[in-house]
Amino acid sequence: MAQVLGPLYPRGRPGRSSWFLASDQCSSGRYGHLGSEPADGRPLSLPLPLSKRLQKELLALQNDPPPGMTLNEKSVQNSITQWIVDMEGAPGTLYEGEKFQLLFKFSSRYPFDSPQVMFTGENIPVHPHVYSNGHICLSILTEDWSPALSVQSVCLSIISMLSSCKEKRRPPDNSFYVRTCNKNPKKTKWWYHDVFFSTFKCKKVTPFVFRDLWI
């Protein structure tokens, strides 16, 4: 399928600026599946290493959740490859007391492939790196992802990103991006550069690594 081309737009992200080019090369998979399925419509079975990794991370999130984060247990009743994490804005920040939801979707290549992560639900945080459709501009969700990272790592990075915000506003390219992007944020082609643009400076968010989650 042909790629949808358009001008490169500067975007901010913690530690770098970025550029995006919307693409429709791939469509997102069905909820609850692994992103693809056989021709007869039956969902793919989970590889054992993936199942073990997800179960370990699920227990870690239940037993030791990051501050303000709670696993929505109803979301994992039907499929372990799609989670919803309830989030509350940290005290003393612009988002104090606000409630959000994060959607995590895992492919069959996880943890070598990063999870699909986005805000969902009725309340999407107003932030320079969060689009109104819930997509998040954060490099650890794409090129800076490592199998040593985890759901907890992502949650802590997003908490840090929101907590360091000094002004509530949408990305400058929000309207264009929301009109042209794929529903799956991982299908957007992002380019990150180690320079700042004066219109949207931001602090670096350091990934949090939980190395004991290795299989």
Side-chain angles (χ1 to χ4, degrees):
M1 185 176 295
Q3 188 178 44
V4 177
L5 300 177
L8 293 176
Y9 282 77
R11 276 278 296 114
R13 77 97 178 159
R16 299 178 178 179
S17 65
S18 61
W19 300 77
F20 77 84
L21 185 64
S23 171
D24 68 347
Q25 287 181 308
C26 302
S27 59
S28 56
R30 294 184 182 180
Y31 287 168
H33 293 172
L34 297 178
S36 60
E37 58 185 12
D40 60 9
R42 292 179 294 106
L44 295 172
S45 59
L46 285 176
L48 183 58
L50 171 62
S51 179
K52 290 175 62 178
R53 171 68 180 246
L54 289 179
Q55 288 174 8
K56 183 179 291 187
E57 290 204 42
L58 195 62
L59 287 174
L61 190 61
Q62 288 175 319
N63 296 331
D64 187 25
M69 297 281 190
T70 306
L71 176 69
N72 187 316
E73 296 190 1
K74 289 184 178 180
S75 67
V76 296
Q77 288 180 350
N78 296 324
S79 173
I80 198 174
T81 60
Q82 178 173 307
W83 307 359
I84 289 179
V85 177
D86 296 322
M87 175 182 181
E88 185 170 343
T93 71
L94 295 180
Y95 305 94
E96 180 175 359
E98 293 191 52
K99 299 183 184 300
F100 310 109
Q101 287 189 318
L102 284 168
L103 173 65
F104 286 78
K105 296 174 71 174
F106 306 91
S107 75
S108 58
R109 297 190 64 249
Y110 184 79
F112 301 102
D113 181 40
S114 64
Q116 176 184 329
V117 184
M118 58 184 290
F119 283 100
T120 187
E122 297 181 356
N123 192 24
I124 305 297
V126 179
H127 187 281
H129 307 303
V130 180
Y131 289 94
S132 58
N133 63 355
H135 290 195
I136 305 168
C137 180
L138 193 63
S139 66
I140 65 167
L141 301 179
T142 52
E143 68 173 30
D144 287 344
W145 173 259
S146 162
L149 299 175
S150 65
V151 171
Q152 286 180 304
S153 304
V154 172
C155 287
L156 287 168
S157 293
I158 291 175
I159 290 171
S160 179
M161 182 186 76
L162 293 185
S163 297
S164 64
C165 182
K166 302 302 182 183
E167 179 186 358
K168 284 187 175 183
R169 56 186 172 85
R170 291 289 179 208
D173 53 0
N174 181 75
S175 297
F176 175 81
Y177 178 79
V178 170
R179 289 198 312 270
T180 59
C181 70
N182 192 286
K183 291 182 179 180
N184 181 349
K186 293 189 63 178
K187 302 305 179 185
T188 297
K189 304 302 181 184
W190 298 94
W191 284 268
Y192 302 99
H193 303 277
D194 290 314
V195 295
F196 286 116
F197 285 81
S198 60
T199 52
F200 29 86
K201 294 181 180 179
C202 54
K203 294 182 179 179
K204 181 177 180 60
V205 174
T206 303
F208 298 86
V209 180
F210 292 81
R211 299 188 182 278
D212 60 329
L213 290 172
W214 278 96
I215 299 171

